[in-house]
Structure formats: structure tokens, C-alpha cells
Amino acid sequence: MKKKVKGFTLIEMLVVLLIISILILLFVPNLAKQKDSVKNTGRAAVVKVVESQAELYALDHTDTPTLSALTGAGDITQKQADEYNEYYKEHAGETREIAG
């Protein structure tokens, strides 16, 4: 007596792979857009932090706050200063409060 083994046929597997491929093609570009949006939002938040730190620096010191002065005083990190510069490279039309 021959046993009957149940399983998926090749056509069923191809259909499932086709559906998965279509879903991936729909979602991957959307994820890339979301990543850019999150990155821009993060940079905008860093700009606010740097500007707030500059205001606090101006209250405590007599000289004008610059990015190098803020990093030297330990108020911001070099990474935050770099993100601040990157934000204004992408948004060239906006006014910049703190000089590099």
C-alpha cells in the first residue's frame, strides 16, 4: 500500500513567493522615505538642542557662542555640531543662529 504524502505543489509555492515579492516591492520604498523623514526630524531636534545650549552659553559667558566654543565648553558633542552643520547644508535658505 502506497502512502499519500500531503504537501505544497510547485505552483502554490510560486504563487506565495510572487505575493511576498509584490509586498516587498510595495513596502521597501516606503521604508526608505520613512528613514529620511526620521533622519530629518532628528536633525531638527539636534538644531533645537544646539540653539538652546548656545542661549545658555551666552548667559554664562561674555563672548559670542560658536560651535567650537560650545564643544570646547562641553555643552554639545562634536557629533551634535556635525549634525547641526549637516542640517544647514540641506536647508541652505534658513537663517543660521550659530556660526561654525
Side-chain angles (χ1 to χ4, degrees):
M1 186 181 217
K2 191 174 180 183
K3 289 185 179 179
K4 192 168 187 179
V5 179
K6 291 191 174 192
F8 294 107
T9 65
L10 183 61
I11 299 294
E12 290 170 332
M13 292 298 289
L14 288 174
V15 169
V16 168
L17 288 174
L18 177 70
I19 291 170
I20 291 172
S21 299
I22 290 171
L23 290 173
I24 287 173
L25 287 173
L26 290 174
F27 289 117
V28 168
N30 191 22
L31 291 175
K33 289 178 188 175
Q34 291 296 327
K35 183 180 175 184
D36 290 340
S37 175
V38 167
K39 193 173 187 179
N40 288 335
T41 303
R43 281 193 178 150
V46 168
V47 166
K48 294 291 183 191
V49 168
V50 171
E51 289 173 355
S52 296
Q53 289 297 334
E55 290 175 12
L56 292 172
Y57 182 91
L59 292 173
D60 293 338
H61 299 84
T62 57
D63 57 331
T64 304
T66 61
L67 289 177
S68 58
L70 291 172
T71 54
D75 294 331
I76 62 171
T77 63
Q78 185 60 45
K79 185 176 179 182
Q80 288 172 320
D82 294 340
E83 289 290 324
Y84 184 83
N85 286 328
E86 287 294 321
Y87 178 84
Y88 281 107
K89 282 181 187 175
E90 291 178 6
H91 300 89
E94 295 182 25
T95 50
R96 186 175 177 162
E97 292 186 23
I98 304 167

